[in-house]
Each structure stands twice: as C-alpha cells, then as structure tokens.
Amino acid sequence: MKKAAALLLAGVMALSLAACGGGGDSGGSTDNGSTDNGGETQELVTVNVAYMPNYAAVNGVIAADKMGYFEEEGIDVVFTEFADGPTIINAMESGSIDVGYIGQGAHKLCVQGRADIFALAHVSNGDAIIGSKEKGTDTLENLAGKTVAYSSGTSSEDILVKGLTSVGLTMEDIDAIDMEATNLVTAMLSGSVDACAAWTPNTTNIMKEMGDDAVELCDNMTFIDETVSLASWICMPSYSEENHDTLVKFTRALYKGFDYRADDNNAEEVAGWCADELKLEKESLLEERDVADWTTSDFIKNNMDDVKSYYQIQQDTLVANGDCEAAPLEDYILFDVMEEACK
C-alpha cells in the first residue's frame, strides 16, 4: 500500500496537463452565443453536479468549470451542495442529480449496486477522530464509555470504526451519537460530546477553535498499511448506460481540472474559486491542500492497475467490516470511462 500511495504522489508531482486533452470532441456551444469550430451554434448538454462543502470535493470540478474545460466538451454544469455522500446518492435516485462526489463511507452503496463510480477523485487524508484533553479523550483507548459524535454512512463512521478497532474497541464500547455532518462542529465545540469523527473542513475548524485542548487521535494515513480511504465521482447505473458519451466528456474535462488543481502554481487561484463557491475563507481552504494525494490524468492513464488495487483494498475492508458483500469491481466501477477519457 505504501508503494501504491507513493505512485499516486509521483503522479501528482509529474503532472501531465495534456495527458487527457488530445482526444476531446468539443461539444460546440450553447444558446448563450458560443460556437464550435465550424461556426455553428450548438446547445450545451446540462449536467447536474452534486458536491460536498469542502476543498477536496470541489477543487477539481471548480477548476474544470472556471478553466472552460466543460464548455469545451459541450457541457454546462449546474452545481448543488449536499452534506454527505448518502444524501447525494438519494438525490441521484430521485432524478435531480446526474453526477456527484462521495467520500469513503458512501462507497459501500456503490458496492451494493446503488451507484457507479466513473472517476477516482483522490486518496484522502481528510478524516480524523478528535478528542479533548479536558474530557479525558486524549487517546483512542480512552474513548471507551465516552460520548462520541459521528455521521453514519459516511467517512466519519468509517474512520471511527477503524480507530476503535485498532485498539480493540467497537461501537458498542462507546456512547455513539449519530448526527448530521453539519452539527458535528457545534457538538464538539459546545462540549456536549467528548470526541467526534469528522472530515475537513470540520476537523480543521474544530482543531483551530479548541486550540491546545484538541487532540487528533488518528487520521486516514494512520491506517495506510492496511486500508485506503478514497473519494470518487459517481452516477446512477441508468445514467451511465444512457449517457455514455456525455459521461466520457465530463470525465475528460474533470481530469483536466484535476491536473490544474494539482499544480502548486495554481493553488491560490483554485482556493479562491473554491472560496467563492463555498462562501468560505480562502486562507482556510488553502490549509486543506495537504489533506489528500491529488489524482492526475497522468496517474490514471499510466497506473490503472494501481487504481484497481485501491478499489479492491477498499472493498475488502468494507466487506470485512460487514458493510457489504463482495462484488466484481467491474460491476460498479466504470474503468472503461476512465480509460476512454484519457485517449
């Protein structure tokens, strides 16, 4: 796993901004006046996009939008914010969302067949369990018998289970309080819980506001030798079947956005775009730049075996935890879309 993570980091460092840019067939222009190479006005295909309100979720897709990569592919993106992955999948099932971003926890729903994965977003280090010195939760072992807040079905629950398991505890050994992700920060800062499991920017905000009292007990990288925490872009199986060409074009543009956001020279600009979209402070978002190994088109193009190994390791962990039953990766991961978008 360390080798795989190192390969991904190498992909980030060896950016290839043109790796996925050569095969795109521009979808032309919209009814707003843009035109294709032949001068003919063409209507853009609308894709309804769901994201979560954090830097990791939006940096690549926002970069693709702001740089005009979606428009080059004949796509008009409409963004909608959601609190977590399971809620995004529910919105997809209702038909209001076409594609969306999910964290580690919601991947179990993909293995179960409820959604297809069409792009690896990144290997994450944005989840953590945070304790309090004052509350006596300054070690994972000390969580026993304590009140711990988490958000079920998300990467919050995933990191909490990993942390507890690592010291021989289970969810039965703590007073686990399930709550909406948006309430985790308030619960922790108010002192109504003794510890919490959350993701960025919530973890960043909690650590900053609590100061010296806060203790990060573990994060994703704590378990890098045995498991991997992934974020992905997904859609409904019916959407991928009916809109294959659009999905490939969306993915091609998304990869270009991934490349742009992974370049350190563009960090300030991308953080500014994210801040405008999320209505958050630019500086606080810049602090989240190190929460993941950022996927690039070059990595996808040249390391598909490693991509598949990530998802297999992820599934093995989910199955071992009793979250789902084993399934062939090809049943729910569109590797063909990833590869076609890089041609």
Side-chain angles (χ1 to χ4, degrees), residues 26-37 39-47 65 68-78:
S26 175
S29 61
T30 72
D31 50 8
N32 65 6
S34 58
T35 59
D36 66 11
N37 292 333
E40 297 180 359
T41 300
Q42 296 183 6
E43 185 177 354
L44 295 180
V45 174
T46 298
V47 177
D65 183 37
Y69 300 145
F70 288 123
E71 187 172 359
E72 289 174 2
E73 297 291 343
I75 292 173
D76 176 37
V77 291
V78 178

Side-chain angles (χ1 to χ4, degrees), residues 243-314:
N243 302 276
H244 176 82
D245 290 345
T246 296
L247 195 60
V248 170
K249 291 178 180 179
F250 181 92
T251 306
R252 184 182 295 124
L254 186 64
Y255 284 165
K256 292 179 182 178
F258 284 178
D259 290 342
Y260 195 84
R261 62 96 191 265
D263 188 339
D264 287 336
N265 294 321
N266 303 325
E268 290 272 350
E269 184 178 32
V270 173
W273 291 336
C274 294
D276 291 341
E277 178 68 27
L278 301 176
K279 304 298 186 292
L280 296 173
E281 293 295 326
K282 175 182 173 180
E283 292 306 316
S284 67
L285 294 179
L286 278 172
E287 293 176 0
E288 297 181 40
R289 185 158 173 79
D290 295 328
V291 301
D293 285 336
W294 305 115
T295 301
T296 65
S297 62
D298 186 65
F299 179 79
I300 296 295
K301 184 177 182 179
N302 298 312
N303 299 280
M304 187 55 70
D305 286 344
D306 292 297
V307 173
K308 292 180 179 180
S309 75
Y310 291 162
Y311 282 111
Q312 188 61 62
I313 292 169
Q314 179 193 61

Side-chain angles (χ1 to χ4, degrees), residues 55-230:
Y55 176 80
V58 301
N59 57 16
V61 72
I62 287 294
D65 183 37
K66 295 296 186 180
M67 292 300 294
Y69 300 145
F70 288 123
E71 187 172 359
E72 289 174 2
E73 297 291 343
I75 292 173
D76 176 37
V77 291
V78 178
F79 294 117
T80 304
E81 181 180 305
F82 289 84
D84 54 55
T87 306
I88 288 174
I89 291 178
N90 289 338
M92 285 184 175
E93 291 173 335
S94 75
S96 62
I97 292 296
D98 299 317
V99 303
Y101 168 98
I102 62 169
Q104 171 75 3
H107 280 75
K108 66 173 71 72
L109 302 179
C110 298
V111 183
Q112 294 168 3
R114 288 181 59 184
D116 283 346
I117 296 166
F118 65 85
L120 170 65
H122 54 260
V123 176
S124 175
N125 191 35
D127 310 314
I129 301 176
I130 299 176
S132 161
K133 296 175 185 176
E134 181 180 341
K135 295 281 190 175
T137 52
D138 53 347
T139 68
L140 287 170
E141 290 85 353
N142 288 348
L143 293 180
K146 297 293 188 177
T147 302
V148 183
Y150 77 108
S151 183
S152 64
T154 71
S155 58
S156 163
E157 180 177 14
D158 188 69
I159 192 68
L160 178 57
V161 171
K162 285 186 175 71
L164 293 173
T165 302
S166 71
V167 293
L169 299 176
T170 70
M171 294 288 279
E172 299 299 318
D173 295 314
I174 64 174
D175 180 13
I177 306 298
D178 187 5
M179 61 177 61
E180 295 291 333
T182 52
N183 296 328
L184 289 171
V185 176
T186 301
M188 193 65 182
L189 297 183
S190 68
S192 60
V193 298
D194 303 316
C196 74
W199 60 80
T200 57
N202 293 337
T203 49
T204 303
N205 294 336
I206 291 169
M207 294 294 292
K208 183 180 298 184
E209 291 297 323
M210 290 183 61
D212 292 340
D213 183 42
V215 182
E216 184 179 287
L217 305 181
C218 66
D219 60 17
N220 302 115
M221 296 306 291
T222 305
F223 310 104
I224 195 64
D225 287 335
E226 58 192 70
T227 188
V228 61
S229 179
L230 305 179

